[in-house]
């Protein structure tokens, strides 16, 4: 049979194990049209995210250096790690749910690796070097002026695009304003960042321009474990062997090889479900165009389950498990967000004398505390510290402290109380930290232990 590979060999390697470069042919069809719309929208989305604002905050900022994260307009700090972990967990479970229902749809339809390559890099390649056959011919031909010029121009454009993608990627971690600021200054003023961006530009150009499907096949961790999330009821790109075989001789497949020629990972879907398949649907359109020509029904290659769509069980134990996990994580996130306070408070006893006694009728006792406040809000808040017990007073009242957006401040304070307040040398009480943001007042209580003479 044509295009038949030995079963134990990867489609992108030859008999000596060397890489065989894939030149996928362009195919038009209903799936490619839909995919093209989705991919273009996603490229715009990926590039735009760091520049978008919600509540005057970046929609997504992962400032690892300052341990400050902004997700969907909400500000998170290193101490909010459970919240950030929950958000990423929800994203991961969401992908697992999609995979169990729709197979590797994420890879072929949403993964930045696929959409950037398809929307930008392959189009540049086609524009400069011509279609798949011309590209193959150019690579196989002698190194002449034409080849050098075309390759140089293509790689110049690849590096240019990769530079833009790298800056956009950098903006996810340092913020778009910071990226613009960096661009205004000479590289010598930000030498480390400059080198990092060019290093990343080189990696992006290498990966999207040359490494391509090898990343999906060899390196992508999701590609490795996605098969465990799928079962025979997952919808995958599927060759109908019952209808297609034996090829040419009785079956509907005429062994034209078109499905292989359009495949970006170079595989033959007729060999059955394969790890390398990224569900890009190019082979569906290719085969449908052949079926139309030879007047056979479309769908020899189609989105289907192993058992067939009619017998498909969408709601099965696996789906319920993912939905349950997704719901539990979402509820936990909603709970944590709704109980989250504007001010993060850390209250500790100071490391000096445990207490001091003062002169006075009621034998006053003094305790010393340290307070760290961090404003989690995007605006300036005013903070007051109150005692919830009239017998416990602040030596110096803490009133109308102004904390600016994201500001963190340390304070020390003393509380005074009569010795009779203590039982066996100690007593529990609560302090109220009141934060005011315009008309909105938020109170949080912190438990402290007061100590004195036994
Ligand atoms: S087998 Fe079909 S769906 Fe899978 S990667 Fe190749 S062309 Fe895309
Ligand atoms: S495109 Fe269809 S007919 Fe042609 S080889 Fe592939 S499965 Fe067979």
């Amino acid at each position: 049979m044509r295009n038949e590979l030995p079963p134990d060999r990867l489609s992108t390697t030859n008999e000596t194990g060397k890489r065989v470069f894939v030149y996928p042919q362009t195919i038009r069809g209903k799936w490619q049209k839909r995919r093209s719309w989705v991919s273009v929208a996603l490229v715009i989305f990926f590039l735009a995210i760091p520049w978008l604002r919600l509540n005057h905050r970046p929609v997504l900022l992962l400032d690892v250096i300052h341990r400050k994260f902004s997700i969907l307009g909400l500000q998170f700090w290193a101490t909010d790690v459970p919240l950030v972990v929950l958000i990423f967990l929800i994203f991961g479970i969401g992908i697992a749910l999609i995979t169990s229902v729709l197979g590797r749809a994420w890879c072929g339809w949403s993964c930045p690796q696929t959409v950037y390559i398809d929307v930008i890099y392959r189009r540049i390649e086609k524009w400069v070097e011509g279609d798949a056959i011309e590209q193959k011919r150019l690579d196989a031909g002698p190194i002449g002026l034409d080849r050098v010029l075309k390759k140089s121009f293509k790689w110049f454009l690849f590096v240019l695009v990769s530079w833009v993608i790298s800056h956009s990627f950098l903006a996810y971690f340092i913020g778009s304003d910071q990226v613009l600021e960096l661009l205004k200054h000479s590289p010598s003023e930000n030498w480390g960042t400059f080198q990092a961006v060019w290093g990343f530009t080189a990696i992006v150009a290498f990966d999207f321009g040359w490494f391509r499907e090898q990343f999906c096949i060899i390196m992508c961790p999701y590609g490795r474990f996605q098969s465990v999330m799928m079962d025979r009821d997952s919808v995958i790109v599927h060759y109908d062997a019952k209808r297609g075989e034996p090829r040419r001789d009785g079956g509907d497949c005429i062994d034209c090889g078109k499905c292989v020629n359009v495949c970006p990972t170079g595989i033959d879907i007729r060999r059955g479900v394969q790890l390398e398949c990224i569900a890009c649907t190019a082979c569906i359109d290719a085969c449908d165009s052949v079926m139309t020509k030879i007047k056979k029904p479309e769908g020899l290659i189609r989105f289907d389950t192993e058992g067939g769509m009619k017998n498909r069980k969408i709601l099965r134990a696996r789906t319920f498990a993912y939905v349950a996990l997704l719901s539990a994580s979402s509820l936990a996130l909603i709970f944590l967000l709704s109980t989250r306070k504007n001010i993060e408070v850390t209250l500790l006893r100071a490391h000096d004398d445990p207490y001091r006694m003062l002169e006075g009728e009621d034998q006053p006792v003094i305790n010393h505390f340290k307070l760290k406040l961090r404003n989690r809000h995007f605006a300036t808040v005013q903070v007051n510290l109150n005692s919830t017990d009239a017998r416990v007073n602040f030596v110096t009242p803490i009133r109308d402290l102004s904390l600016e957006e994201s500001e963190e401040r340390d304070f020390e304070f003393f509380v005074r109380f009569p010795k009779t307040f203590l039982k066996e040398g100690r007593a529990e009480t609560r302090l109220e930290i009141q934060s005011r943001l315009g008309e909105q007042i938020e109170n949080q209580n912190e438990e402290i232990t007061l100590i004195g003479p036994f």
Side-chain angles (χ1 to χ4, degrees), residues 155-438:
W155 278 97
F156 167 73
L157 294 178
F158 278 1
V159 171
L160 198 66
V161 173
S162 305
W163 183 85
V164 173
I165 294 174
S166 303
H167 280 78
S168 158
F169 187 72
L170 182 70
Y172 280 82
F173 297 95
I174 65 169
S176 49
D177 296 340
Q178 195 67 20
V179 168
L180 287 179
E181 207 47 45
L182 285 176
L183 288 172
K184 282 186 207 154
H185 294 94
S186 136
S188 59
E189 291 175 43
N190 299 289
W191 195 238
T193 317
F194 179 77
Q195 284 175 314
V197 171
W198 273 104
F200 190 67
T201 301
I203 293 171
V204 171
F206 167 78
D207 181 29
F208 295 174
W210 187 81
F211 200 50
R212 297 184 178 175
E213 79 291 340
Q214 296 297 305
F215 182 87
C216 310
I217 297 171
I218 303 168
M219 291 179 69
C220 176
Y222 169 68
R224 298 277 103 197
F225 66 76
Q226 44 92 22
S227 56
V228 300
M229 298 173 216
M230 293 179 352
D231 55 27
R232 61 189 313 276
D233 287 311
S234 305
V235 182
I236 48 170
V237 176
H238 187 82
Y239 168 68
D240 189 345
K242 267 194 237 129
R243 201 186 122 185
E245 304 293 314
R247 295 173 202 172
R248 285 193 183 280
D249 192 14
D252 282 359
C253 173
I254 56 165
D255 201 22
C256 63
K258 207 166 173 182
C259 52
V260 182
N261 295 339
V262 297
C263 178
T265 61
I267 60 169
D268 183 347
I269 193 65
R270 297 170 299 168
R271 289 167 72 182
V273 181
Q274 289 153 74
L275 189 74
E276 296 92 324
C277 176
I278 56 165
C280 73
T281 60
C283 55
I284 300 182
D285 283 332
C287 191
D288 280 351
S289 71
V290 177
M291 292 299 115
T292 310
K293 262 186 218 146
I294 62 169
K295 304 208 173 11
K296 293 263 169 84
E298 291 184 351
L300 176 57
I301 301 176
R302 60 180 182 271
F303 258 132
D304 206 343
T305 68
E306 273 185 62
M309 280 302 223
K310 279 192 195 130
N311 306 319
R312 183 174 183 229
K313 273 194 250 151
I314 297 179
L315 295 179
R316 50 202 197 274
R318 180 186 292 268
T319 329
F320 279 122
Y322 287 136
V323 171
L325 276 174
L326 199 59
S327 313
S329 321
S330 306
L331 285 175
L333 182 68
I334 291 168
F335 173 76
L336 288 177
L337 283 177
S338 57
T339 53
R340 193 167 175 261
K341 303 287 184 192
N342 281 339
I343 301 289
E344 183 188 317
V345 179
T346 313
L347 188 55
L348 297 169
R349 178 172 289 285
H351 292 292
D352 53 5
D353 297 340
Y355 65 89
R356 280 192 198 166
M357 299 293 300
L358 297 182
E359 296 290 323
E361 217 176 276
D362 58 351
Q363 295 180 288
V365 187
I366 296 266
N367 275 200
H368 183 189
F369 290 93
K370 285 183 169 183
L371 177 69
K372 187 192 276 278
L373 298 176
R374 174 184 272 157
N375 182 5
R376 282 173 170 150
H377 210 279
F378 311 128
T380 304
V381 292
Q382 309 295 329
V383 180
N384 291 326
L385 222 61
N386 304 319
S387 165
T388 57
D389 193 303
R391 291 168 294 171
V392 180
N393 295 298
F394 293 94
V395 173
T396 311
I398 299 184
R399 317 293 309 163
D400 292 325
L401 288 173
S402 199
L403 283 182
E404 287 180 14
E405 174 198 351
S406 310
E407 188 184 349
E408 180 184 289
R409 266 162 74 179
D410 293 306
F411 304 94
E412 304 211 6
F413 66 90
F414 295 87
V415 288
R416 171 192 168 129
F417 50 92
K419 187 184 164 207
T420 49
F421 187 66
L422 303 172
K423 274 199 191 109
E424 297 179 345
R426 57 185 294 142
E428 308 292 332
T429 187
R430 274 178 293 126
L431 298 183
E432 181 190 75
I433 291 106
Q434 183 186 72
S435 57
R436 198 153 30 82
L437 179 73

